[in-house]
Amino acid sequence: MANLELKKNIFGMLSDGSEIELYTVNNGKMSFSSTNYGCTLTTILLPAGNGKKVDVLLGFSTLEGWVMDGLCFGTGVGRFANRIGGCTFEIDGKKYQLDDNDSGRTLHGGFDRWEKKVWSPREVETQYGRGVEYSRVSPDGEQGFPGNLDVKQIFTLNEDNVLTLEYYATTDTPTPVNITNHAYFNMKGYDGGTVKDHEIMFKSDKVLEIGEDHLPSGKILDVEGTPFDFRTPRLLSTQIEKLKFGFDDCYCVPGFDEKNFTLREFGYVKDPASGRKMSVKTTQPGIQFYTANFLNGEKGKNGHPYGRQEALCLETQGYPDAPNHPEFPNTILRPGETYHQVTQYVFEF
């Protein structure tokens, strides 16, 4: 890994005096940066010709932006990503009550979010490349979830332009665990405008049926003949216009098998004009495809206002509301077990 350069800088300071660090990994062609404030991906720089770089990740120019942010720009999300219906779940006959932060649902862990926590960083080299491991203990009762959860989020880059996000967790009490990263991508650049002109290809032929309450019904639908069908490459504009509000839906990863831990190819997004392309692989059963429907002029990097559908998210994860759907792939972690998931974003330019 001689070609992989890792630099550490001070990103800023919180009001309580905590010093926040920023780590940048560069392979000579592309780079990414991340911070121990919220396990947050802050930039992904790709070549743009003439020696220039383009940042394909929405976010902020300063730490203060993420401190004030409520939309999870590039942040690590847990203890349970996505939604839990009724703000409750039950394990082994015991019922647990969570925060209501989404009109009768718990979204991305509730009010006391992981994205606002300071994590302990450590520089690492793994089989996937060079980068940083962020760790902390989510204490029993945090966000209403049971058990002390020992968590690690590892971000690495290799020489082949593969950004790997790796998650580990262990617990002393049975608890739901579903960790993801909420990166907002625009392959034209963070100030490139709408992503409706992006080319999309997903191998998935199944999507979860979602009700008006944004929760899964338990049914799994075929994408054939629906706006959710991206099995052949299509411009996002050809499909999104068929929907009332945009995409915020969980696709099933083809070939997922709980007993067979392996990275599976899901698909890609591409900017046809520049040729910049990002493919996704994951060990997770689902990917939440979200087209940034709630962006509404938030001031981002260099003061750029982010408008509706100026980004897309591919949040690899367990199925939403899985603790209340025993027919879904398991998301309950028990003592003696290790939660381990891997996601890779593969860049071409």
Side-chain angles (χ1 to χ4, degrees), residues 78-104:
R79 184 173 299 194
F80 198 93
N82 215 311
R83 295 171 174 89
I84 293 181
C87 310
T88 62
F89 64 91
E90 188 176 294
I91 299 179
D92 300 336
K94 184 174 181 179
K95 189 174 182 179
Y96 295 89
Q97 187 69 42
L98 306 175
D99 295 336
D100 181 351
N101 69 327
D102 189 45
S103 303

Side-chain angles (χ1 to χ4, degrees), residues 9-247:
N9 292 293
I10 301 304
F11 194 35
M13 188 172 292
L14 300 179
S15 59
D16 65 1
S18 300
E19 199 171 67
I20 302 302
E21 297 170 341
L22 184 72
Y23 293 83
T24 300
V25 185
N26 192 326
N27 68 5
K29 295 166 285 187
M30 67 165 287
S31 68
F32 83 92
S33 297
S34 64
T35 175
N36 62 319
Y37 183 75
C39 288
T40 302
L41 289 171
T42 61
T43 60
I44 298 176
L45 297 179
L46 305 181
N50 299 319
K52 297 181 179 179
K53 300 284 186 180
V54 60
D55 186 354
V56 298
L57 199 63
L58 274 64
F60 305 95
S61 298
T62 64
L63 172 63
E64 183 182 12
W66 272 284
V67 171
M68 301 301 296
D69 171 42
L71 293 175
C72 305
F73 282 97
T75 61
V77 178
R79 184 173 299 194
F80 198 93
N82 215 311
R83 295 171 174 89
I84 293 181
C87 310
T88 62
F89 64 91
E90 188 176 294
I91 299 179
D92 300 336
K94 184 174 181 179
K95 189 174 182 179
Y96 295 89
Q97 187 69 42
L98 306 175
D99 295 336
D100 181 351
N101 69 327
D102 189 45
S103 303
R105 301 169 293 267
T106 301
L107 177 63
H108 298 327
F111 294 116
D112 187 19
R113 292 190 176 184
W114 283 9
E115 70 198 70
K116 304 303 181 184
K117 306 295 184 184
V118 178
W119 295 64
S120 297
R122 183 172 71 93
E123 297 180 19
V124 296
E125 288 189 6
T126 75
Q127 61 177 312
Y128 299 116
R130 190 174 182 190
V132 186
E133 171 192 284
Y134 299 109
S135 63
R136 72 180 290 264
V137 174
S138 173
D140 179 43
E142 185 173 73
Q143 303 174 326
F145 290 97
N148 296 292
L149 193 74
D150 196 330
V151 192
K152 295 177 182 177
Q153 300 188 52
I154 305 171
F155 303 161
T156 55
L157 180 68
N158 70 9
E159 292 92 341
D160 298 319
N161 307 315
V162 180
L163 172 61
T164 299
L165 312 184
E166 197 171 6
Y167 308 110
Y168 286 93
T170 57
T171 183
D172 58 7
T173 304
T175 186
V177 180
N178 184 25
I179 306 172
T180 193
N181 187 277
H182 207 297
Y184 289 73
F185 298 101
N186 186 324
M187 302 311 290
K188 295 182 292 185
Y190 69 83
D191 56 355
T194 179
V195 292
K196 291 182 181 180
D197 52 2
H198 277 39
E199 178 182 292
I200 311 288
M201 194 287 290
F202 297 156
K203 292 186 175 184
S204 177
D205 61 358
K206 305 287 184 184
V207 67
L208 300 191
E209 181 182 64
I210 301 295
E212 291 293 324
D213 57 2
H214 298 286
L215 292 170
S217 68
K219 295 181 180 179
I220 297 178
L221 306 178
D222 291 326
V223 301
E224 178 77 35
T226 75
F228 304 100
D229 192 352
F230 289 98
R231 290 174 296 172
T232 56
R234 303 175 187 268
L235 293 182
L236 178 58
S237 60
T238 66
Q239 304 297 81
I240 200 170
E241 303 300 340
K242 302 173 185 177
L243 300 175
K244 181 179 179 180
F245 195 62
F247 288 93

